[in-house]
Amino acid sequence: HAITMGVGTILDARRIVLLAWGESKAAVVAAAVEAPPSDALPASFLQGHPQVRFLLDEAAALEVERSRLTVDLCRSREWEGR
């Protein structure tokens, strides 16, 4: 099963939190946060939302140079299954 949601529906949310982990996400996260909004990268439209927060690990944040958006770094943690 899958749930799909359009950008317009996402942008209608009161608050948005984007989670990204891993170095493979670094370039796209930086573009979403810093590049001008573009249809080629729908996540870039999050820049215009008044209540958006990006939660990233250090690897995903490697290419973010500056941002006027809320970008929080999360430390890696080993989880124990219980």
mmCIF file of all heavy atoms in Angstrom, residues 25-50:
data_model
loop_
_atom_site.group_PDB
_atom_site.id
_atom_site.type_symbol
_atom_site.label_atom_id
_atom_site.label_comp_id
_atom_site.label_asym_id
_atom_site.label_seq_id
_atom_site.Cartn_x
_atom_site.Cartn_y
_atom_site.Cartn_z
ATOM 1 N N LYS A 25 21.690 11.988 1.032
ATOM 2 C CA LYS A 25 20.633 13.012 0.979
ATOM 3 C C LYS A 25 21.192 14.432 0.986
ATOM 4 O O LYS A 25 20.455 15.397 0.811
ATOM 5 C CB LYS A 25 19.694 12.869 2.180
ATOM 6 C CG LYS A 25 19.127 11.499 2.421
ATOM 7 C CD LYS A 25 18.169 11.086 1.343
ATOM 8 C CE LYS A 25 17.428 9.801 1.648
ATOM 9 N NZ LYS A 25 18.174 8.644 2.032
ATOM 10 N N ALA A 26 22.493 14.601 1.208
ATOM 11 C CA ALA A 26 23.086 15.920 1.429
ATOM 12 C C ALA A 26 22.841 16.909 0.289
ATOM 13 O O ALA A 26 22.447 18.052 0.519
ATOM 14 C CB ALA A 26 24.593 15.784 1.696
ATOM 15 N N ALA A 27 23.050 16.502 -0.946
ATOM 16 C CA ALA A 27 22.899 17.425 -2.078
ATOM 17 C C ALA A 27 21.449 17.867 -2.258
ATOM 18 O O ALA A 27 21.166 19.053 -2.456
ATOM 19 C CB ALA A 27 23.427 16.782 -3.364
ATOM 20 N N VAL A 28 20.527 16.936 -2.161
ATOM 21 C CA VAL A 28 19.121 17.285 -2.364
ATOM 22 C C VAL A 28 18.588 18.108 -1.191
ATOM 23 O O VAL A 28 17.785 19.022 -1.384
ATOM 24 C CB VAL A 28 18.253 16.038 -2.656
ATOM 25 C CG1 VAL A 28 18.029 15.206 -1.422
ATOM 26 C CG2 VAL A 28 16.943 16.439 -3.285
ATOM 27 N N VAL A 29 19.042 17.829 0.028
ATOM 28 C CA VAL A 29 18.628 18.637 1.178
ATOM 29 C C VAL A 29 19.133 20.067 1.013
ATOM 30 O O VAL A 29 18.387 21.027 1.218
ATOM 31 C CB VAL A 29 19.130 18.024 2.509
ATOM 32 C CG1 VAL A 29 19.016 19.012 3.647
ATOM 33 C CG2 VAL A 29 18.353 16.759 2.830
ATOM 34 N N ALA A 30 20.391 20.232 0.640
ATOM 35 C CA ALA A 30 20.948 21.573 0.446
ATOM 36 C C ALA A 30 20.171 22.328 -0.634
ATOM 37 O O ALA A 30 19.859 23.513 -0.474
ATOM 38 C CB ALA A 30 22.431 21.493 0.078
ATOM 39 N N ALA A 31 19.846 21.657 -1.718
ATOM 40 C CA ALA A 31 19.075 22.304 -2.787
ATOM 41 C C ALA A 31 17.675 22.671 -2.308
ATOM 42 O O ALA A 31 17.166 23.755 -2.602
ATOM 43 C CB ALA A 31 19.002 21.391 -4.013
ATOM 44 N N ALA A 32 17.044 21.794 -1.532
ATOM 45 C CA ALA A 32 15.695 22.064 -1.036
ATOM 46 C C ALA A 32 15.684 23.257 -0.090
ATOM 47 O O ALA A 32 14.739 24.036 -0.067
ATOM 48 C CB ALA A 32 15.137 20.827 -0.334
ATOM 49 N N VAL A 33 16.746 23.424 0.677
ATOM 50 C CA VAL A 33 16.824 24.492 1.676
ATOM 51 C C VAL A 33 17.327 25.799 1.078
ATOM 52 O O VAL A 33 16.873 26.871 1.473
ATOM 53 C CB VAL A 33 17.735 24.044 2.844
ATOM 54 C CG1 VAL A 33 18.013 25.173 3.804
ATOM 55 C CG2 VAL A 33 17.111 22.877 3.584
ATOM 56 N N GLU A 34 18.265 25.748 0.126
ATOM 57 C CA GLU A 34 18.966 26.960 -0.306
ATOM 58 C C GLU A 34 18.696 27.413 -1.739
ATOM 59 O O GLU A 34 18.827 28.596 -2.031
ATOM 60 C CB GLU A 34 20.474 26.757 -0.128
ATOM 61 C CG GLU A 34 20.845 26.515 1.316
ATOM 62 C CD GLU A 34 22.293 26.162 1.524
ATOM 63 O OE1 GLU A 34 22.971 25.738 0.568
ATOM 64 O OE2 GLU A 34 22.750 26.300 2.653
ATOM 65 N N ALA A 35 18.357 26.509 -2.626
ATOM 66 C CA ALA A 35 18.151 26.888 -4.024
ATOM 67 C C ALA A 35 16.772 27.532 -4.199
ATOM 68 O O ALA A 35 15.873 27.311 -3.389
ATOM 69 C CB ALA A 35 18.282 25.660 -4.920
ATOM 70 N N PRO A 36 16.597 28.325 -5.240
ATOM 71 C CA PRO A 36 15.265 28.889 -5.488
ATOM 72 C C PRO A 36 14.244 27.770 -5.707
ATOM 73 O O PRO A 36 14.584 26.720 -6.265
ATOM 74 C CB PRO A 36 15.458 29.692 -6.780
ATOM 75 C CG PRO A 36 16.919 29.952 -6.870
ATOM 76 C CD PRO A 36 17.587 28.778 -6.208
ATOM 77 N N PRO A 37 13.005 27.966 -5.232
ATOM 78 C CA PRO A 37 11.979 26.942 -5.455
ATOM 79 C C PRO A 37 11.837 26.602 -6.937
ATOM 80 O O PRO A 37 11.901 27.478 -7.793
ATOM 81 C CB PRO A 37 10.710 27.602 -4.914
ATOM 82 C CG PRO A 37 11.213 28.544 -3.867
ATOM 83 C CD PRO A 37 12.509 29.076 -4.436
ATOM 84 N N SER A 38 11.673 25.307 -7.204
ATOM 85 C CA SER A 38 11.638 24.823 -8.581
ATOM 86 C C SER A 38 10.756 23.591 -8.693
ATOM 87 O O SER A 38 10.758 22.749 -7.797
ATOM 88 C CB SER A 38 13.066 24.474 -9.016
ATOM 89 O OG SER A 38 13.068 23.662 -10.151
ATOM 90 N N ASP A 39 10.053 23.480 -9.811
ATOM 91 C CA ASP A 39 9.255 22.285 -10.072
ATOM 92 C C ASP A 39 10.129 21.032 -10.139
ATOM 93 O O ASP A 39 9.650 19.927 -9.895
ATOM 94 C CB ASP A 39 8.493 22.416 -11.391
ATOM 95 C CG ASP A 39 7.362 23.433 -11.307
ATOM 96 O OD1 ASP A 39 6.876 23.706 -10.182
ATOM 97 O OD2 ASP A 39 6.960 23.953 -12.357
ATOM 98 N N ALA A 40 11.405 21.197 -10.470
ATOM 99 C CA ALA A 40 12.314 20.062 -10.563
ATOM 100 C C ALA A 40 12.614 19.462 -9.188
ATOM 101 O O ALA A 40 13.029 18.309 -9.094
ATOM 102 C CB ALA A 40 13.622 20.481 -11.244
ATOM 103 N N LEU A 41 12.416 20.236 -8.125
ATOM 104 C CA LEU A 41 12.641 19.757 -6.762
ATOM 105 C C LEU A 41 11.484 20.237 -5.883
ATOM 106 O O LEU A 41 11.554 21.296 -5.256
ATOM 107 C CB LEU A 41 13.979 20.269 -6.211
ATOM 108 C CG LEU A 41 14.347 19.806 -4.806
ATOM 109 C CD1 LEU A 41 14.427 18.283 -4.728
ATOM 110 C CD2 LEU A 41 15.650 20.429 -4.380
ATOM 111 N N PRO A 42 10.390 19.489 -5.864
ATOM 112 C CA PRO A 42 9.198 19.917 -5.122
ATOM 113 C C PRO A 42 9.467 20.273 -3.659
ATOM 114 O O PRO A 42 8.827 21.165 -3.109
ATOM 115 C CB PRO A 42 8.246 18.732 -5.249
ATOM 116 C CG PRO A 42 8.647 18.085 -6.538
ATOM 117 C CD PRO A 42 10.143 18.240 -6.594
ATOM 118 N N ALA A 43 10.426 19.612 -3.015
ATOM 119 C CA ALA A 43 10.733 19.925 -1.612
ATOM 120 C C ALA A 43 11.213 21.363 -1.443
ATOM 121 O O ALA A 43 11.116 21.926 -0.355
ATOM 122 C CB ALA A 43 11.779 18.956 -1.068
ATOM 123 N N SER A 44 11.700 21.989 -2.504
ATOM 124 C CA SER A 44 12.167 23.379 -2.406
ATOM 125 C C SER A 44 11.016 24.340 -2.113
ATOM 126 O O SER A 44 11.234 25.433 -1.589
ATOM 127 C CB SER A 44 12.902 23.791 -3.686
ATOM 128 O OG SER A 44 12.020 23.772 -4.801
ATOM 129 N N PHE A 45 9.783 23.942 -2.411
ATOM 130 C CA PHE A 45 8.635 24.796 -2.120
ATOM 131 C C PHE A 45 8.346 24.880 -0.619
ATOM 132 O O PHE A 45 7.604 25.752 -0.174
ATOM 133 C CB PHE A 45 7.398 24.325 -2.891
ATOM 134 C CG PHE A 45 7.506 24.601 -4.364
ATOM 135 C CD1 PHE A 45 7.788 23.570 -5.244
ATOM 136 C CD2 PHE A 45 7.360 25.881 -4.858
ATOM 137 C CE1 PHE A 45 7.919 23.825 -6.608
ATOM 138 C CE2 PHE A 45 7.482 26.142 -6.224
ATOM 139 C CZ PHE A 45 7.768 25.110 -7.090
ATOM 140 N N LEU A 46 8.960 24.001 0.159
ATOM 141 C CA LEU A 46 8.813 24.086 1.607
ATOM 142 C C LEU A 46 9.378 25.398 2.150
ATOM 143 O O LEU A 46 8.978 25.862 3.216
ATOM 144 C CB LEU A 46 9.505 22.900 2.284
ATOM 145 C CG LEU A 46 8.936 21.516 1.994
ATOM 146 C CD1 LEU A 46 9.794 20.446 2.655
ATOM 147 C CD2 LEU A 46 7.493 21.415 2.439
ATOM 148 N N GLN A 47 10.297 26.002 1.416
ATOM 149 C CA GLN A 47 10.903 27.273 1.849
ATOM 150 C C GLN A 47 9.857 28.356 2.106
ATOM 151 O O GLN A 47 10.055 29.234 2.935
ATOM 152 C CB GLN A 47 11.883 27.798 0.796
ATOM 153 C CG GLN A 47 13.078 26.931 0.563
ATOM 154 C CD GLN A 47 13.918 27.475 -0.573
ATOM 155 O OE1 GLN A 47 13.949 28.678 -0.826
ATOM 156 N NE2 GLN A 47 14.611 26.593 -1.262
ATOM 157 N N GLY A 48 8.751 28.295 1.396
ATOM 158 C CA GLY A 48 7.723 29.311 1.528
ATOM 159 C C GLY A 48 6.726 29.048 2.636
ATOM 160 O O GLY A 48 5.830 29.861 2.884
ATOM 161 N N HIS A 49 6.858 27.930 3.330
ATOM 162 C CA HIS A 49 5.911 27.582 4.397
ATOM 163 C C HIS A 49 6.347 28.262 5.696
ATOM 164 O O HIS A 49 7.520 28.231 6.053
ATOM 165 C CB HIS A 49 5.856 26.068 4.575
ATOM 166 C CG HIS A 49 4.686 25.625 5.374
ATOM 167 N ND1 HIS A 49 4.678 25.671 6.747
ATOM 168 C CD2 HIS A 49 3.480 25.136 4.997
ATOM 169 C CE1 HIS A 49 3.512 25.233 7.179
ATOM 170 N NE2 HIS A 49 2.760 24.897 6.128
ATOM 171 N N PRO A 50 5.404 28.861 6.430
ATOM 172 C CA PRO A 50 5.786 29.596 7.645
ATOM 173 C C PRO A 50 6.189 28.710 8.824
ATOM 174 O O PRO A 50 6.839 29.186 9.752
ATOM 175 C CB PRO A 50 4.514 30.385 7.989
ATOM 176 C CG PRO A 50 3.404 29.611 7.372
ATOM 177 C CD PRO A 50 3.984 28.984 6.128
#
